[in-house]
Amino acid sequence: MKLGRMNHLGYAVPDMDVAIAHYRDVMGAEVITEPFDLPEQGVKVCFVNTPGFGQGHDGTHGTQVELLSPLDENSPVAGFIAKNPLGGQHHVCFEVPDIAAAREYFEGIGKRILGPTRIGAHGTPIFFVHPKDMMGMLTEIMETPKDGAAH
């Protein structure tokens, strides 16, 4: 296993519109994706892009901030918001070249995987590793998007 690029930091927010306005008006974010529902995960999602070099230099992209709000009271993020009414950092996400190999690695060293590998908000396979096995941080492992896929 080799540490890949940090793709995004996930932030649970109680109000998506207020969060978008904050990143745009207070933080000066210039590129914020249109929010969309991910019903299989119980969340509404959008991405705040931070500056990177882009494809013109070395192919890197700025790390994103993923804003997550619950679709309903059954969402795992709803429980997080109940405990943290202002919202807060929910997870960190790292890229890997091969999701199946990464899952095999984490399972092989005894890390607890939360649920099946599934398609995440970037349209690529993901899984989550339990925070108790990752120094207290819920950690998303994501297969690096292929050329043409959203970053």
Side-chain angles (χ1 to χ4, degrees):
M1 178 68 195
K2 184 177 178 184
L3 180 68
R5 179 177 97 87
M6 182 185 296
N7 182 278
H8 64 268
L9 295 171
Y11 284 87
V13 299
D15 185 310
M16 183 68 72
D17 293 333
V18 168
I20 289 170
H22 170 80
Y23 276 92
R24 183 187 59 236
D25 302 338
V26 176
M27 301 299 293
E30 295 179 1
V31 180
I32 302 173
T33 67
E34 192 66 32
F36 60 95
D37 292 349
L38 255 176
E40 57 278 359
Q41 294 185 39
V43 293
K44 179 180 288 289
V45 176
C46 84
F47 290 96
V48 179
N49 292 338
T50 66
F53 290 108
Q55 296 300 331
H57 287 99
D58 64 1
T60 62
H61 298 272
T63 298
Q64 294 178 309
V65 175
E66 179 183 38
L67 302 177
L68 306 159
S69 63
L71 287 177
D72 58 39
E73 65 278 352
N74 297 319
S75 168
V77 173
F80 184 94
I81 295 290
K83 294 176 191 167
N84 305 279
L86 295 176
Q89 186 174 349
H90 182 263
H91 67 272
V92 62
C93 176
F94 293 100
E95 294 182 11
V96 295
D98 182 328
I99 198 77
R103 185 177 181 112
E104 184 178 313
Y105 167 78
F106 281 110
E107 289 175 335
I109 61 170
K111 303 298 183 186
R112 289 169 281 185
I113 307 296
L114 302 173
T117 299
R118 57 194 180 273
I119 300 301
H122 286 93
T124 65
I126 65 159
F127 62 83
F128 286 89
V129 185
H130 198 289
K132 289 183 179 177
D133 293 339
M134 299 299 285
M135 299 182 65
M137 177 57 67
L138 178 62
T139 303
E140 180 179 355
I141 304 298
M142 172 184 136
E143 192 164 275
T144 300
K146 305 300 183 237
D147 288 341
H151 281 272

